[in-house]
Amino acid sequence: MDHDSLFQAQLQQLKRDGNYRVFAELERHCGAFPRATRHADGAAEPVTIWCSNDYLGMGQHPAVTRATIEAVEAHGVGAGGTRNISGTSHLHAALEAELADLHGKASALLFTSGYVANWTALSTLGARLPGAVILSDEKNHASMIEGIRHSRAERIIWRHNDPADLDRKLAAIDPARPRIVAFESVYSMDGDICPMREIIEVAERHGAMTYLDEVHAVGMYGPRGGGVSEREGLADRITLIQGTLGKAFGVVGGYVAGSAALCDFIRSFASGFIFTTALPPAIASAAIASIRHLKTSDMERARQRRQVARLRARLDAHGIPHMANDSHIIPVMIGDPVKCRQISDILMKDWGIYVQPINYPTVPKGTERLRITPSPMHSDADIDRLAEALASLWRRCALAHAVA
């Protein structure tokens, strides 16, 4: 049997549907973000990145790069294995203490990515708590969905950001069973922010645990970057907060924060933690530097908010449809996978602007979009040029303009 033909058949269908993903080969330059070099067909061309999750440019911050270099020189590159076998680096322990402090929790636990943190924590809680029921917002991230599925616990889906629907579904469950309400603060594709207080109040009324994904909010919201839960003064009422080091903090890795017993429970029973090589100590050092900086500096967040508002105003002026939300994420709606890809390609080729198209299955069919994330490093001139490019393409591709 020609096994490759089995693979190729499905890949060809993906291409026909307009959902085949093409990676841009980019070379970031420390100190120059959002500028980068694109490598294609043997040529190297300058581009401006508009879709990075390094929301505040902390991946190139001098304090972060310096901490990385010094830690490599002091400790070497790798962690040497799992934390159980190779030992826990002092920097791992220091980073967990920093994260626990960020969220006002007793403890925190590191993972190699936010995806692994979600998958591992939810699968462990669902599998190890007898009779557990996990109530999941219908727009939760794939990592949460996979963790819940792997746990084999009963799963109940509640309508997106709908506390009343959550209330009805919790009321129908035996209160003797452990119940975990899983939701996100900022949803990454639509950029909407959950009604956190109302969700927590519903969960508390029924005696349920709360599991909050703050991946797209940590570093970005709250006076110290603790996320939406810190901004709203609700962190102490949430059972478990999950976050990432790979977005606003500009590094890599994931974590959960909660009570000492909860974190020890996951540490002791989670295969996704026990059998995984630990983060390199230098990465832990970089994350500590980034978190400490953003705990005391609001300059990056303030500048970022200004640039988001400016870009939205420029898009409005050109009649470019973008989804309204209160976050830092600007989804520009296209609604067609082929046109979404075409617009992305033309922006790259003719304008030197990189915005990756977001198609199915990341978003539902018919809601294809460009997901734009202005940073503090984007200039006013960058914003004006992006808006001009999009306006030109809207005319060229005969797409519908926003209703005035």
Short mmCIF file of all heavy atoms in Angstrom, two decimals, residues 253-301:
data_model
loop_
_atom_site.label_atom_id
_atom_site.label_comp_id
_atom_site.label_asym_id
_atom_site.label_seq_id
_atom_site.Cartn_x
_atom_site.Cartn_y
_atom_site.Cartn_z
N GLY A 253 6.30 28.49 27.91
CA GLY A 253 5.95 27.71 29.10
C GLY A 253 4.54 28.04 29.55
O GLY A 253 3.91 29.00 29.08
N GLY A 254 4.02 27.20 30.45
CA GLY A 254 2.69 27.40 30.99
C GLY A 254 2.70 27.11 32.48
O GLY A 254 3.71 26.64 33.02
N TYR A 255 1.56 27.36 33.14
CA TYR A 255 1.52 27.14 34.58
C TYR A 255 0.08 27.10 35.06
O TYR A 255 -0.85 27.52 34.35
CB TYR A 255 2.27 28.24 35.33
CG TYR A 255 1.66 29.61 35.18
CD1 TYR A 255 0.68 30.08 36.06
CD2 TYR A 255 2.05 30.46 34.14
CE1 TYR A 255 0.11 31.34 35.92
CE2 TYR A 255 1.49 31.72 33.99
CZ TYR A 255 0.52 32.16 34.88
OH TYR A 255 -0.05 33.40 34.71
N VAL A 256 -0.10 26.58 36.25
CA VAL A 256 -1.35 26.72 36.99
C VAL A 256 -1.00 27.29 38.36
O VAL A 256 0.11 27.08 38.88
CB VAL A 256 -2.11 25.39 37.14
CG1 VAL A 256 -2.52 24.85 35.78
CG2 VAL A 256 -1.28 24.35 37.91
N ALA A 257 -1.96 28.02 38.94
CA ALA A 257 -1.78 28.59 40.28
C ALA A 257 -3.04 28.33 41.10
O ALA A 257 -4.15 28.45 40.58
CB ALA A 257 -1.50 30.09 40.20
N GLY A 258 -2.86 27.96 42.34
CA GLY A 258 -4.00 27.67 43.21
C GLY A 258 -3.52 27.39 44.62
O GLY A 258 -2.44 27.84 45.03
N SER A 259 -4.30 26.65 45.36
CA SER A 259 -3.92 26.29 46.73
C SER A 259 -2.72 25.34 46.71
O SER A 259 -2.42 24.71 45.69
CB SER A 259 -5.09 25.64 47.45
OG SER A 259 -5.33 24.33 46.90
N ALA A 260 -2.06 25.24 47.84
CA ALA A 260 -0.92 24.32 47.94
C ALA A 260 -1.37 22.89 47.68
O ALA A 260 -0.68 22.12 46.98
CB ALA A 260 -0.28 24.45 49.32
N ALA A 261 -2.53 22.49 48.23
CA ALA A 261 -3.02 21.13 48.04
C ALA A 261 -3.36 20.86 46.58
O ALA A 261 -3.05 19.77 46.06
CB ALA A 261 -4.24 20.89 48.92
N LEU A 262 -3.97 21.81 45.91
CA LEU A 262 -4.34 21.62 44.51
C LEU A 262 -3.11 21.45 43.63
O LEU A 262 -3.04 20.52 42.81
CB LEU A 262 -5.18 22.81 44.03
CG LEU A 262 -5.53 22.88 42.54
CD1 LEU A 262 -6.25 21.62 42.09
CD2 LEU A 262 -6.36 24.11 42.24
N CYS A 263 -2.13 22.33 43.79
CA CYS A 263 -0.92 22.22 42.96
C CYS A 263 -0.14 20.95 43.28
O CYS A 263 0.42 20.32 42.37
CB CYS A 263 -0.05 23.47 43.16
SG CYS A 263 -0.78 24.96 42.45
N ASP A 264 -0.10 20.57 44.53
CA ASP A 264 0.59 19.32 44.90
C ASP A 264 -0.14 18.11 44.33
O ASP A 264 0.49 17.13 43.90
CB ASP A 264 0.69 19.22 46.42
CG ASP A 264 1.70 18.17 46.87
OD1 ASP A 264 2.62 17.84 46.08
OD2 ASP A 264 1.57 17.67 48.00
N PHE A 265 -1.46 18.17 44.30
CA PHE A 265 -2.28 17.10 43.71
C PHE A 265 -1.93 16.92 42.23
O PHE A 265 -1.69 15.79 41.77
CB PHE A 265 -3.75 17.47 43.88
CG PHE A 265 -4.73 16.50 43.28
CD1 PHE A 265 -5.13 15.36 43.97
CD2 PHE A 265 -5.28 16.72 42.03
CE1 PHE A 265 -6.04 14.46 43.43
CE2 PHE A 265 -6.19 15.84 41.47
CZ PHE A 265 -6.57 14.70 42.17
N ILE A 266 -1.88 18.01 41.48
CA ILE A 266 -1.55 17.91 40.05
C ILE A 266 -0.10 17.46 39.88
O ILE A 266 0.19 16.60 39.04
CB ILE A 266 -1.81 19.27 39.37
CG1 ILE A 266 -3.31 19.60 39.41
CG2 ILE A 266 -1.33 19.25 37.91
CD1 ILE A 266 -3.66 21.01 38.96
N ARG A 267 0.80 18.02 40.66
CA ARG A 267 2.21 17.62 40.59
C ARG A 267 2.39 16.13 40.83
O ARG A 267 3.20 15.46 40.17
CB ARG A 267 3.01 18.41 41.65
CG ARG A 267 4.51 18.11 41.65
CD ARG A 267 5.17 18.69 42.90
NE ARG A 267 4.80 17.94 44.10
CZ ARG A 267 5.46 16.86 44.54
NH1 ARG A 267 6.51 16.39 43.87
NH2 ARG A 267 5.07 16.25 45.63
N SER A 268 1.61 15.57 41.73
CA SER A 268 1.79 14.18 42.14
C SER A 268 1.12 13.17 41.23
O SER A 268 1.54 12.01 41.17
CB SER A 268 1.24 14.01 43.57
OG SER A 268 1.95 14.82 44.48
N PHE A 269 0.06 13.58 40.51
CA PHE A 269 -0.72 12.62 39.72
C PHE A 269 -0.71 12.87 38.21
O PHE A 269 -1.15 12.01 37.44
CB PHE A 269 -2.18 12.60 40.20
CG PHE A 269 -2.36 12.04 41.58
CD1 PHE A 269 -2.73 12.85 42.64
CD2 PHE A 269 -2.14 10.69 41.83
CE1 PHE A 269 -2.90 12.34 43.92
CE2 PHE A 269 -2.31 10.16 43.11
CZ PHE A 269 -2.68 10.98 44.15
N ALA A 270 -0.21 14.01 37.76
CA ALA A 270 -0.34 14.37 36.35
C ALA A 270 0.82 13.83 35.52
O ALA A 270 1.96 14.25 35.68
CB ALA A 270 -0.41 15.88 36.20
N SER A 271 0.53 12.90 34.60
CA SER A 271 1.58 12.34 33.76
C SER A 271 2.21 13.41 32.87
O SER A 271 3.40 13.35 32.56
CB SER A 271 1.01 11.22 32.89
OG SER A 271 0.02 11.70 32.01
N GLY A 272 1.42 14.42 32.47
CA GLY A 272 1.94 15.49 31.63
C GLY A 272 2.93 16.38 32.35
O GLY A 272 3.62 17.18 31.71
N PHE A 273 3.01 16.25 33.67
CA PHE A 273 4.05 16.94 34.43
C PHE A 273 5.16 15.98 34.82
O PHE A 273 6.34 16.27 34.63
CB PHE A 273 3.46 17.57 35.70
CG PHE A 273 4.51 18.19 36.59
CD1 PHE A 273 4.98 19.47 36.35
CD2 PHE A 273 5.05 17.49 37.66
CE1 PHE A 273 5.96 20.03 37.15
CE2 PHE A 273 6.03 18.03 38.47
CZ PHE A 273 6.48 19.32 38.21
N ILE A 274 4.79 14.82 35.31
CA ILE A 274 5.77 13.89 35.87
C ILE A 274 6.79 13.44 34.83
O ILE A 274 7.99 13.36 35.10
CB ILE A 274 5.05 12.66 36.46
CG1 ILE A 274 4.20 13.09 37.66
CG2 ILE A 274 6.04 11.57 36.86
CD1 ILE A 274 3.23 12.00 38.15
N PHE A 275 6.32 13.15 33.60
CA PHE A 275 7.18 12.51 32.61
C PHE A 275 7.71 13.47 31.54
O PHE A 275 8.19 13.04 30.49
CB PHE A 275 6.43 11.36 31.94
CG PHE A 275 6.01 10.29 32.92
CD1 PHE A 275 4.69 10.15 33.29
CD2 PHE A 275 6.95 9.44 33.49
CE1 PHE A 275 4.30 9.17 34.20
CE2 PHE A 275 6.57 8.47 34.40
CZ PHE A 275 5.24 8.33 34.76
N THR A 276 7.65 14.79 31.80
CA THR A 276 8.07 15.78 30.82
C THR A 276 9.35 16.46 31.27
O THR A 276 9.47 16.86 32.43
CB THR A 276 6.98 16.85 30.61
OG1 THR A 276 5.80 16.21 30.16
CG2 THR A 276 7.40 17.87 29.57
N THR A 277 10.30 16.59 30.35
CA THR A 277 11.52 17.34 30.64
C THR A 277 11.17 18.76 31.06
O THR A 277 10.32 19.41 30.45
CB THR A 277 12.44 17.38 29.40
OG1 THR A 277 12.83 16.04 29.08
CG2 THR A 277 13.69 18.22 29.65
N ALA A 278 11.82 19.25 32.09
CA ALA A 278 11.50 20.57 32.64
C ALA A 278 11.95 21.68 31.70
O ALA A 278 12.82 21.51 30.84
CB ALA A 278 12.18 20.73 33.99
N LEU A 279 11.36 22.85 31.89
CA LEU A 279 11.81 24.04 31.16
C LEU A 279 13.29 24.29 31.44
O LEU A 279 13.76 24.10 32.57
CB LEU A 279 11.03 25.27 31.62
CG LEU A 279 9.60 25.46 31.12
CD1 LEU A 279 8.99 26.68 31.83
CD2 LEU A 279 9.58 25.67 29.61
N PRO A 280 14.04 24.75 30.44
CA PRO A 280 15.44 25.13 30.70
C PRO A 280 15.51 26.22 31.77
O PRO A 280 14.67 27.13 31.79
CB PRO A 280 15.91 25.67 29.35
CG PRO A 280 15.03 25.01 28.34
CD PRO A 280 13.69 24.87 29.02
N PRO A 281 16.49 26.14 32.67
CA PRO A 281 16.60 27.17 33.71
C PRO A 281 16.69 28.58 33.15
O PRO A 281 16.17 29.53 33.76
CB PRO A 281 17.88 26.77 34.45
CG PRO A 281 17.98 25.29 34.24
CD PRO A 281 17.45 25.04 32.86
N ALA A 282 17.33 28.75 32.00
CA ALA A 282 17.46 30.09 31.42
C ALA A 282 16.10 30.66 31.02
O ALA A 282 15.87 31.88 31.10
CB ALA A 282 18.39 30.05 30.21
N ILE A 283 15.19 29.78 30.59
CA ILE A 283 13.83 30.23 30.26
C ILE A 283 13.11 30.67 31.52
O ILE A 283 12.39 31.68 31.54
CB ILE A 283 13.07 29.11 29.53
CG1 ILE A 283 13.71 28.80 28.18
CG2 ILE A 283 11.60 29.47 29.37
CD1 ILE A 283 13.69 29.96 27.21
N ALA A 284 13.30 29.92 32.59
CA ALA A 284 12.70 30.30 33.87
C ALA A 284 13.23 31.66 34.33
O ALA A 284 12.48 32.51 34.80
CB ALA A 284 12.97 29.24 34.93
N SER A 285 14.52 31.88 34.16
CA SER A 285 15.12 33.15 34.53
C SER A 285 14.55 34.30 33.70
O SER A 285 14.25 35.38 34.23
CB SER A 285 16.65 33.07 34.35
OG SER A 285 17.26 34.29 34.72
N ALA A 286 14.39 34.06 32.40
CA ALA A 286 13.81 35.08 31.51
C ALA A 286 12.38 35.41 31.93
O ALA A 286 11.98 36.59 31.96
CB ALA A 286 13.83 34.59 30.07
N ALA A 287 11.61 34.38 32.27
CA ALA A 287 10.22 34.60 32.68
C ALA A 287 10.14 35.39 33.97
O ALA A 287 9.29 36.28 34.12
CB ALA A 287 9.51 33.25 32.83
N ILE A 288 11.01 35.09 34.91
CA ILE A 288 11.05 35.84 36.17
C ILE A 288 11.29 37.32 35.90
O ILE A 288 10.60 38.20 36.44
CB ILE A 288 12.13 35.28 37.11
CG1 ILE A 288 11.75 33.88 37.62
CG2 ILE A 288 12.37 36.22 38.29
CD1 ILE A 288 12.88 33.16 38.32
N ALA A 289 12.25 37.60 35.03
CA ALA A 289 12.58 39.00 34.70
C ALA A 289 11.39 39.70 34.05
O ALA A 289 11.08 40.86 34.37
CB ALA A 289 13.80 39.05 33.78
N SER A 290 10.70 39.01 33.15
CA SER A 290 9.56 39.59 32.44
C SER A 290 8.41 39.86 33.40
O SER A 290 7.81 40.95 33.39
CB SER A 290 9.11 38.66 31.32
OG SER A 290 8.05 39.22 30.58
N ILE A 291 8.09 38.89 34.24
CA ILE A 291 6.98 39.05 35.19
C ILE A 291 7.27 40.17 36.18
O ILE A 291 6.41 41.02 36.45
CB ILE A 291 6.72 37.71 35.93
CG1 ILE A 291 6.23 36.65 34.95
CG2 ILE A 291 5.71 37.90 37.06
CD1 ILE A 291 6.32 35.24 35.49
N ARG A 292 8.50 40.21 36.70
CA ARG A 292 8.85 41.26 37.66
C ARG A 292 8.76 42.64 37.02
O ARG A 292 8.30 43.60 37.65
CB ARG A 292 10.25 41.00 38.22
CG ARG A 292 10.28 39.85 39.21
CD ARG A 292 11.69 39.58 39.72
NE ARG A 292 11.68 38.51 40.71
CZ ARG A 292 12.78 37.93 41.21
NH1 ARG A 292 13.98 38.33 40.78
NH2 ARG A 292 12.69 36.96 42.09
N HIS A 293 9.19 42.76 35.78
CA HIS A 293 9.11 44.05 35.10
C HIS A 293 7.65 44.49 34.94
O HIS A 293 7.31 45.64 35.25
CB HIS A 293 9.78 43.98 33.73
CG HIS A 293 9.66 45.24 32.94
ND1 HIS A 293 10.49 46.32 33.13
CD2 HIS A 293 8.76 45.62 31.98
CE1 HIS A 293 10.12 47.30 32.33
NE2 HIS A 293 9.08 46.90 31.62
N LEU A 294 6.80 43.58 34.48
CA LEU A 294 5.41 43.95 34.21
C LEU A 294 4.58 44.10 35.48
O LEU A 294 3.49 44.68 35.44
CB LEU A 294 4.77 42.93 33.26
CG LEU A 294 5.29 42.98 31.81
CD1 LEU A 294 4.69 41.86 30.98
CD2 LEU A 294 5.00 44.34 31.18
N LYS A 295 5.08 43.61 36.59
CA LYS A 295 4.41 43.85 37.87
C LYS A 295 4.52 45.32 38.29
O LYS A 295 3.67 45.82 39.03
CB LYS A 295 5.01 42.96 38.98
CG LYS A 295 4.50 41.53 39.00
CD LYS A 295 5.16 40.76 40.12
CE LYS A 295 4.59 39.35 40.23
NZ LYS A 295 5.26 38.57 41.31
N THR A 296 5.56 45.99 37.82
CA THR A 296 5.81 47.36 38.26
C THR A 296 5.69 48.39 37.14
O THR A 296 5.60 49.59 37.43
CB THR A 296 7.21 47.47 38.89
OG1 THR A 296 8.20 47.09 37.92
CG2 THR A 296 7.33 46.57 40.11
N SER A 297 5.69 47.97 35.90
CA SER A 297 5.64 48.91 34.78
C SER A 297 4.31 48.78 34.03
O SER A 297 3.96 47.71 33.55
CB SER A 297 6.79 48.64 33.80
OG SER A 297 6.64 49.42 32.63
N ASP A 298 3.60 49.90 33.92
CA ASP A 298 2.37 49.92 33.12
C ASP A 298 2.58 50.60 31.77
O ASP A 298 1.65 50.71 30.97
CB ASP A 298 1.26 50.65 33.90
CG ASP A 298 -0.12 50.44 33.28
OD1 ASP A 298 -0.49 49.26 33.06
OD2 ASP A 298 -0.81 51.43 32.98
N MET A 299 3.79 51.04 31.51
CA MET A 299 4.08 51.77 30.29
C MET A 299 3.74 50.96 29.04
O MET A 299 3.11 51.47 28.10
CB MET A 299 5.56 52.18 30.25
CG MET A 299 6.00 52.89 28.98
SD MET A 299 7.78 53.24 28.98
CE MET A 299 8.44 51.56 28.90
N GLU A 300 4.14 49.70 29.04
CA GLU A 300 3.88 48.85 27.88
C GLU A 300 2.39 48.65 27.65
O GLU A 300 1.90 48.72 26.53
CB GLU A 300 4.58 47.50 28.03
CG GLU A 300 6.10 47.56 28.02
CD GLU A 300 6.72 47.93 29.36
OE1 GLU A 300 5.96 48.08 30.36
OE2 GLU A 300 7.94 48.08 29.43
N ARG A 301 1.66 48.39 28.73
CA ARG A 301 0.22 48.18 28.60
C ARG A 301 -0.50 49.44 28.14
O ARG A 301 -1.40 49.39 27.30
CB ARG A 301 -0.36 47.70 29.94
CG ARG A 301 0.04 46.27 30.30
CD ARG A 301 -0.69 45.78 31.53
NE ARG A 301 -0.16 46.33 32.77
CZ ARG A 301 0.81 45.78 33.50
NH1 ARG A 301 1.37 44.65 33.09
NH2 ARG A 301 1.22 46.33 34.63
#
